[in-house]
Amino acid sequence: VGAAMRIAYLLRSKRGDGHITAAVWMMILLLIFLWVLDFAGMLSQAVRVQDNTRRMLDGYVTQNAAQIYRSVKNGHDLTQTLNTDALCDACQTELGLQDWKAVDGNGHIQYSISDFTVSFILDGTLQLQVTYTIHFPIEMAGQVYATAHIPQRLSSCYQLKLD
């Protein structure tokens, strides 16, 4: 309570005692606002990457729908014949990445993706599951101080319609 009253006094003072305190508080609030804005930008990019990856997975399932349908209908294991490397390359192309890194016009890394794995689950349906981790560098004054890691897991499946 004493500190709050002191701050209130300094902000109301006519002698100019509170100008330095007010400037410090404004800088602190500005830094917090910029951090929240930066965090919102990271989450927005993570959602964009997730949406593009989901669209790519759905396109892969749609493109191979006839082969998947025949295999699931006949009870065959299709997972050995599907090319996971092609799926990884398609995802990297869809996201516009080079070596799993997104780089802006100035050459700074916006984010990178690691641990990209594709797995298939065959249980009455063929489910493609992709897991990866997005790494966002946290920068201040041009230096990277930390990295935020956001793990992702997406799936797309082809289900048989009941006759």
Side-chain angles (χ1 to χ4, degrees):
V1 176
M5 289 180 63
R6 174 80 177 137
I7 292 171
Y9 168 75
L10 288 175
L11 292 177
R12 285 191 310 236
S13 173
K14 302 279 188 202
R15 296 184 308 179
D17 294 341
H19 292 313
I20 294 174
T21 306
V24 169
W25 279 107
M26 289 303 293
M27 292 297 289
I28 290 170
L29 290 175
L30 180 64
L31 287 174
I32 291 171
F33 175 73
L34 290 175
W35 180 79
V36 168
L37 193 63
D38 196 32
F39 184 72
M42 282 187 243
L43 289 179
S44 173
Q45 282 185 333
V47 167
R48 183 181 56 80
V49 169
Q50 184 179 22
D51 289 344
N52 288 343
T53 305
R54 186 177 309 278
R55 185 177 27 249
M56 188 271 315
L57 277 178
D58 290 343
Y60 185 82
V61 169
T62 302
Q63 187 177 27
N64 297 307
Q67 183 183 6
I68 293 170
Y69 175 78
R70 283 191 301 272
S71 177
V72 172
K73 183 87 170 166
N74 296 327
H76 299 291
D77 187 7
L78 179 69
T79 60
Q80 306 304 327
T81 61
L82 293 175
N83 189 356
T84 59
D85 292 335
L87 189 59
C88 290
D89 291 342
C91 185
Q92 191 169 352
T93 303
E94 177 72 27
L95 296 174
L97 303 176
Q98 296 175 344
D99 296 327
W100 296 103
K101 294 177 182 164
V103 181
D104 64 6
N106 296 329
H108 295 102
I109 296 174
Q110 292 179 324
Y111 63 88
S112 62
I113 294 178
S114 68
D115 305 326
F116 192 89
T117 58
V118 178
S119 59
F120 301 102
I121 301 168
L122 188 61
D123 184 29
T125 65
L126 177 69
Q127 182 176 1
L128 278 78
Q129 189 173 49
V130 174
T131 57
Y132 57 92
T133 304
I134 302 176
H135 306 277
F136 290 100
I138 298 173
E139 296 180 355
M140 183 176 268
Q143 293 184 354
V144 176
Y145 287 98
T147 304
H149 308 282
I150 302 175
Q152 299 281 325
R153 177 178 293 168
L154 303 170
S155 63
S156 180
C157 65
Y158 183 85
Q159 294 181 338
L160 296 177
K161 294 182 180 181
L162 297 175
D163 294 314

